[in-house]
Every structure is written in structure tokens, then in C-alpha cells.
Amino acid sequence: MIRLGFATAALAALASAAAAQALYSPPEGDFAVAFAQPPTVQSKPAIRSKDIGIRRYVDQERARALVVSIEDYPDAILPASPDGGVYEHWLRMVAEDRGGQLIATRAARLAGRPCLEGQIMDPGGDIEIVRVLIIGDRIYQLTYALPEGADPAGADAAFFGSFRITKAP
């Protein structure tokens, strides 16, 4: 009887936590991720066959920003079997584009697949934790950004862990 009460309380706590961060899926239906609120969506579709289609989903609050970026490349542009070197090169380019510095990398998982996680520090001391995954002709990039001195206290793990690919590219 005690176990049943504990299990019921645990399920209630999980349901409450899930309600706080509902899974968001875009109209394309190709991924799902936990956002605290509906994201701001930016989209630049590929017009010509050589263009890169870009979609960004941003859930921003005062103490953090959650970003999902998806880039669709023309056929056969991206490496067929990306490795750690490819991912690290990508993360360095992201850091450079943002005027920051890649300060650390580590092996990680995204949507159940191996990827690379990088920590990027901008000149103001803000930190971005970025995971990148390449599948076929698509790059998935998830970013958990927080201001200088803030501690994600596991919230970044919850964000990254909630990401699912629901339709293959």
C-alpha cells in the first residue's frame, strides 16, 4: 500500500513537470522538444536547389534561451559519415560566427544518437551549450544559452534529453 502511494505521488510529480514543459512539434512534424512556452519561429526556405533551408525555434526567458536550429543542405554536400572532427569543426565555426570561443567539447547524445557538445563563451562571458548532430543532408543544432555566472543545474540535460526526431530527413 505504501508503494502504491509513493508511485502515485511520483506520477503526479512527473505529470506536473511535463505540464511545465510541454513537447513542441512544428507544423513539419519532424521533431519534438520540451519548451516552457511556444517558441518564436524563424524560417528561410531553400528557394533554389543549391540553397540551404534554415528553421530556428527560440524559447527565450530572462535567465536562459533554448534554441533548435535545423539546416537542410542540398544533396551530397554534408559528409556521409560525420565524426568528432567534423562536429568539432562545425562548433568552432559556430563560435567564430558569434564572436565567441569554443572552450570545451565532449561526446554526447542527441535524439539517442552520438553527437558532440561544445561550450561557447562570448566576449561578455555568456555561455552557450551547443549540441550538433548531422543526419543525411540535415544539421540539427540545439543550444542552451545562459548569462554569465548562471548555473543550468541540469536544465540543459532536460532540454537536450527531450529532443526527438519524429520524421527522418
Side-chain angles (χ1 to χ4, degrees):
M1 197 60 97
I2 292 174
R3 285 188 185 180
L4 183 58
F6 177 76
T8 303
L11 286 174
L14 285 174
S16 174
Q21 285 202 329
L23 284 181
Y24 170 82
S25 185
E28 295 82 2
D30 53 353
F31 74 89
V33 69
F35 283 135
Q37 59 192 1
T40 302
V41 180
Q42 302 166 345
S43 181
K44 180 185 165 211
I47 305 296
R48 299 171 304 202
S49 63
K50 294 183 179 185
D51 290 346
I52 299 168
I54 301 170
R55 293 182 283 147
R56 284 180 47 121
Y57 305 85
V58 181
D59 174 5
Q60 186 166 0
E61 293 179 358
R62 212 173 158 167
R64 59 108 184 107
L66 308 175
V67 182
V68 175
S69 295
I70 297 175
E71 296 184 15
D72 288 310
Y73 282 77
D75 292 341
I77 297 289
L78 298 175
S81 300
D83 59 14
V86 169
Y87 288 135
E88 185 168 345
H89 179 73
W90 181 262
L91 288 167
R92 286 192 189 287
M93 285 187 342
V94 168
E96 218 173 85
D97 286 348
R98 297 179 184 167
Q101 179 181 8
L102 181 64
I103 57 174
T105 61
R106 72 175 188 92
R109 296 191 75 76
L110 191 58
R113 298 177 178 173
C115 70
L116 191 65
E117 177 180 289
Q119 286 191 8
I120 298 171
M121 185 178 356
D122 74 11
D126 296 340
I127 296 286
E128 294 182 12
I129 302 167
V130 181
R131 287 191 186 179
V132 62
L133 174 65
I134 299 172
I135 300 174
D137 296 318
R138 181 172 284 174
I139 296 178
Y140 297 92
Q141 180 178 301
L142 272 67
T143 303
Y144 186 96
L146 52 158
E148 180 183 17
D151 180 11
D156 60 328
F159 171 61
F160 294 130
S162 74
F163 183 76
R164 302 285 179 262
I165 297 171
T166 55
K167 189 186 330 178

